[in-house]
Amino acid sequence: MMRTRPLKVALLGCGVVGSEVARIMTTHADDLAARIGAPVELAGVAVRRPSKVREGIDPALVTTDATALVKRGDIDVVVEVIGGIEPARTLITTAFEHGASVVSANKALLAQDGAALHAAAGDNGRDLYYEAAVAGAIPLIRPLRESLAGDKINRVMGIVNGTTNFILDKMDSTGAGYQEALDEATALGYAEADPTADVEGFDAAAKAAILAGIAFHTRVRLDDVYREGMTEVTAADFVSARGMGCTIKLLAICERAADGGSVTARVHPAMIPLSHPLASVRGAYNAVFVEAEAAGQLMFYGPGAGGAPTASAVLGDLVAVCRNRLGGATGPGDSAYTQLPVSPMGEVVTRYHISLDVADKPGVLAQVATIFAEHGVSIDTVRQSGKDGEASLVVVTHRASDASLDGTVAALRGLDTVRGVASIMRVEGE
């Protein structure tokens, strides 16, 4: 039997995502009630600009006093889609203290203070759900927290930012340079006026921290994630990648060490083989590749951003939290029992693609090969081309640590015959 008294929901933020959440709550009210077992009622909407017309939302529900809204005491669930660290952090903890569970899409806050927020939720016997914080509409957090809870996850690798994937895909498919592709992404609304958070990898790094923490049951904060942006990727890099049967993606990679004693989390551009499932992810789409001990290889794919897709994830969490509320229970909380250390980037082992500008004369290749050997970096393939006294030398290594590669490159720069290091890129997915 359905409960007639509604569950009350407070919405913090009514921008692109928040307005879609409100719309779906209204237009799908009967379906949501049937799925939950009780009606859900939008009890208040906190905004910064109350004078703005918000279609479908009763102006009487709109307030600028978010703190008073979450302190009301009759609110069952707070949906936080304002983003940023403050006032979101204080509002969420206040909501817990006043009896509400929370659904959030705030990746930056969760990556920085997820442990403290989970602790606040647990102390007050409330839920903290955040499917929308990573990869938009793609079901990912819940499968990692619940569906794969009995398995051992060894690696999570994915494209978790649609803006960067659109830019790199455009560079690959048309031969455009970085700035040209960014301009098109901006014109189409895929890139913000200030794209720094996307193209410098900050957005993806926050998501990597969340994914690593869940996958490996350990504490991983934003500061633990190695981050490298994609602004230096060139059209020439794509030419080199195609020569290897690869393309280039900005990847978030979370790995458990082979001995199981540590984890790594990193974001950077990488060449991946065209045969890898992530290589075929086009446009502004996201995809995450999970490798688990028993389940094997799984891929989650779909739209990773936008109002409606993100709102879909928020509403999925809202249904789950409301069901828990009716049942007097809470869902999965924080799981960090392994307490594994996060290894520094210097210890990460991978393959590398290094492009060098060198003098076109006898003995250069031998000098370069000697430097690699002296630093314990094994060479897989070498390709050399040149004319008029200048040449390009492309070296692809076997697996080597980041630290050993740094030493190799430093030594190469000291050779008179090496004019410069044109690019260094990791090779993943093999």
Side-chain angles (χ1 to χ4, degrees):
M1 180 180 295
M2 182 180 294
R3 191 179 84 164
T4 56
R5 183 170 65 82
L7 292 161
K8 294 189 176 183
V9 178
L11 179 61
L12 307 183
C14 198
V16 173
V17 176
S19 60
E20 277 296 305
V21 170
R23 183 189 67 79
I24 295 172
M25 284 184 64
T26 302
T27 58
H28 295 181
D30 291 343
D31 287 336
L32 290 172
R35 294 166 191 172
I36 292 168
V40 286
E41 173 189 311
L42 188 58
V45 182
V47 300
R48 286 184 297 177
R49 295 184 295 275
S51 60
K52 180 180 177 181
V53 176
R54 294 172 173 86
E55 187 177 348
I57 296 177
D58 183 352
L61 298 178
V62 176
T63 178
T64 58
D65 194 344
T67 300
L69 179 60
V70 300
K71 282 184 173 181
R72 272 176 41 173
D74 65 334
I75 299 297
D76 295 288
V77 184
V78 169
V79 175
E80 182 272 311
V81 288
I82 56 178
I85 305 302
E86 287 292 358
R89 175 170 49 197
T90 299
L91 291 170
I92 289 173
T93 55
T94 302
F96 291 140
E97 292 165 359
H98 286 77
S101 290
V102 173
V103 173
S104 176
N106 195 330
K107 54 187 172 287
L109 178 58
L110 288 158
Q112 178 171 306
D113 290 317
L117 294 178
H118 273 292
D123 290 344
N124 291 280
R126 294 295 176 251
D127 276 322
L128 173 62
Y129 276 48
Y130 44 91
E131 184 68 65
V134 180
I138 304 172
L140 183 58
I141 301 298
R142 193 171 290 116
L144 291 177
R145 292 210 313 189
E146 300 179 31
S147 304
L148 296 172
D151 208 338
K152 180 182 180 182
I153 298 172
N154 292 317
R155 195 171 201 236
V156 179
M157 179 171 76
I159 299 162
V160 294
N161 183 279
T163 299
T164 57
N165 200 58
F166 177 89
I167 292 169
L168 292 173
D169 181 42
K170 186 61 62 173
M171 292 175 70
D172 186 23
S173 60
T174 69
Y178 167 76
Q179 190 60 50
E180 183 183 352
L182 172 60
D183 290 344
E184 182 171 351
T186 304
L188 292 172
Y190 291 123
E192 301 286 348
D194 179 1
T196 303
D198 295 322
V199 300
E200 293 294 352
F202 290 101
D203 175 84
K207 295 170 182 176
I210 295 170
L211 290 175
I214 295 171
F216 307 132
H217 303 278
T218 196
R219 299 268 188 243
V220 180
R221 299 181 74 248
L222 181 58
D223 291 345
D224 296 321
V225 181
Y226 172 83
R227 178 194 54 79
E228 184 181 320
M230 49 162 278
T231 57
E232 301 301 317
V233 177
T234 67
D237 290 327
F238 277 97
V239 173
S240 293
R242 284 192 289 272
M244 293 176 57
C246 293
T247 188
I248 300 171
K249 300 291 186 182
L250 184 76
L251 298 178
I253 303 172
C254 312
E255 291 181 303
R256 188 191 300 270
D259 63 4
S262 64
V263 299
T264 59
R266 50 198 167 99
V267 169
H268 54 71
M271 294 182 179
I272 58 172
L274 294 174
S275 58
H276 194 282
L278 291 176
S280 61
V281 178
R282 311 301 297 268
Y285 275 70
N286 285 190
V288 177
F289 199 72
V290 177
E291 298 177 24
E293 199 166 89
Q297 297 178 332
L298 309 168
M299 192 167 91
F300 301 84
Y301 168 84
T310 305
S312 172
V314 169
L315 267 294
D317 278 350
L318 179 63
V319 169
V321 169
C322 285
R323 286 172 174 169
N324 291 343
R325 189 84 169 188
L326 288 179
T330 55
D334 193 22
S335 175
Y337 68 91
T338 63
Q339 298 184 9
L340 296 172
V342 181
S343 296
M345 189 62 188
E347 297 178 12
V348 172
V349 175
T350 189
R351 296 181 68 202
Y352 291 88
H353 175 281
I354 304 104
S355 179
L356 304 171
D357 295 326
V358 300
D360 187 14
K361 63 182 183 180
V364 173
L365 179 55
Q367 286 183 319
V368 169
T370 298
I371 293 293
F372 275 87
E374 288 175 347
H375 289 81
V377 179
S378 177
I379 294 176
D380 182 17
T381 62
V382 177
R383 186 172 70 252
Q384 184 173 4
S385 61
K387 61 181 181 178
D388 299 329
E390 298 296 329
S392 174
L393 191 64
V394 175
V395 178
V396 180
T397 74
H398 287 293
R399 292 176 66 82
S401 72
D402 199 71
S404 64
L405 199 281
D406 284 347
T408 303
V409 172
L412 288 171
R413 294 184 192 276
L415 293 176
D416 291 339
T417 52
V418 174
R419 310 297 194 216
V421 179
S423 68
I424 303 170
M425 193 168 295
R426 295 168 185 87
V427 182
E428 301 285 348
E430 295 186 325

